[in-house]
Amino acid sequence: MTDDKITEFNSEYEDAGVIEKLKKKMKLKASVMILIIALLALGTGTLAWFTLNSFSAVDSLEMTIGTGAELRVSTENHGTDLELYTKEITNEMINEYLKNYDTSLDKIELDPLTSDKGIEFFTQAGTKRTANTGGYLEFPIWFIATKEMYVHLTSDNTANDKDDGTKVTTTETGAKADVVNCPRVSFEEEGTTRIYEPNISTPVAGQTTFDIPTPMKYTDNTRLFHLDKLTPKKIMVRLWVEGEDPQCDDDVQNAQLTVALCFMGTDENNEAIA
């Protein structure tokens, strides 16, 4: 073999060795990154803002919304035609609205987000998210009543033989059961919101929230908005998982969650309208 051939052979061998070393380094780097991610997940499991994956698909939520006497709802504005309004908002009605976003409840995932007023939502890094495509659920409810009234969120059932009062429940046990403390629901009327926080605790993210008692007692604090007689009103409902909530940690990821919302109308003295 000539000197030139030997030099060429050695050069190719060295290049191959360098490439092989680089491959080993790349593999090692990837392994280290995976290990770091795993350690981070273990190390932050007791903190708010869970660290991996998403929360859960919205098809694990049962959005059952009942209404009290004289009060009707729809996801569309039907003017004063009461026959086109119903006593319940179903998942099918919400899915019909979500067609505007080319999505449906079973495709939406709830990520941990935060919001001070329940209108705009941000990740832990401060990135703004978009309704029905970015980690939270948003849909309108049009309310109409045959009498003037104040509309409240209520834990009361709409009938003795029903179990449809407002509540957030889970079938999970142990640490996963804390999922019932993580969601928030906001009700926006022309830029003004009320935020429902089940099992209310210390305020986070600058929020002013409210919970409702069981058994129900109607007060000014449980009022959501006012309705004039036969005047439809649009309320934008938003559901999210509050990342600043101390219980929103890795333990509750992929936990099953059921949210039921029920509304009742009262007079100015907070007496239920029969």
Side-chain angles (χ1 to χ4, degrees), residues 11 18 22 30 48 64 81 86 102 108 117 119-121 125 130 142-143 147 150 156 216 251 265 267:
S11 178
V18 169
L22 285 174
T64 304
D81 191 344
T86 67
D102 295 321
I108 293 178
K117 294 184 171 55
I119 297 177
E120 296 183 325
F121 298 85
T130 304
W142 288 86
F143 289 82
K147 295 181 180 180
Y150 290 93
D156 283 344
M216 187 65 196
D251 290 335
D267 61 21

Side-chain angles (χ1 to χ4, degrees), residues 4 49 71 73 94 105 116-117 122-123 133 137 140 150 169 190 192-193 215 221 228 235 253 255 262 266-267 271:
D4 290 339
W49 296 94
L71 184 61
V73 290
I94 297 174
L105 285 173
D116 60 345
K117 294 184 171 55
F122 301 88
T123 65
T133 60
L137 175 65
Y150 290 93
T169 59
E190 298 178 348
T192 301
T193 57
N221 188 54
D228 290 321
I235 302 298
Q253 285 193 95
C262 189
T266 71
D267 61 21
E271 295 293 332

Side-chain angles (χ1 to χ4, degrees), residues 31-161:
S31 298
V32 171
M33 288 299 293
I34 292 170
L35 177 60
I36 290 173
I37 292 171
L39 289 174
L40 284 175
L42 291 171
T44 60
T46 58
L47 302 177
W49 296 94
F50 47 73
T51 55
L52 300 174
N53 304 320
S54 58
F55 181 65
S56 64
V58 181
D59 63 350
S60 65
L61 293 156
E62 297 176 10
M63 297 298 295
T64 304
I65 303 177
T67 59
E70 309 292 343
L71 184 61
R72 292 178 179 270
V73 290
S74 178
T75 52
E76 300 178 58
N77 183 6
H78 301 296
T80 58
D81 191 344
L82 288 176
E83 293 186 359
L84 296 178
Y85 293 88
T86 67
K87 301 292 285 183
E88 185 178 39
I89 299 289
T90 65
N91 285 352
E92 288 74 21
M93 294 166 69
I94 297 174
N95 277 331
E96 189 64 29
Y97 171 76
L98 291 176
K99 286 182 179 179
N100 298 317
Y101 296 85
D102 295 321
T103 191
S104 58
L105 285 173
D106 61 343
K107 295 178 182 176
I108 293 178
E109 293 185 337
L110 299 180
D111 297 327
L113 301 174
T114 192
S115 176
D116 60 345
K117 294 184 171 55
I119 297 177
E120 296 183 325
F121 298 85
F122 301 88
T123 65
Q124 188 177 21
T127 303
K128 185 177 179 180
R129 304 300 290 269
T130 304
N132 301 323
T133 60
Y136 70 97
L137 175 65
E138 172 187 286
F139 60 94
I141 300 180
W142 288 86
F143 289 82
I144 191 170
T146 58
K147 295 181 180 180
E148 179 184 1
M149 65 175 60
Y150 290 93
V151 177
H152 301 245
L153 201 61
T154 180
S155 58
D156 283 344
N157 299 321
T158 57
N160 291 332
D161 59 346

Side-chain angles (χ1 to χ4, degrees), residues 47-50 55 112 182 241-250 252:
L47 302 177
W49 296 94
F50 47 73
F55 181 65
C182 301
V241 174
E242 179 51 58
E244 295 289 345
D245 191 299
Q247 314 249 354
C248 183
D249 56 29
D250 288 346
V252 302

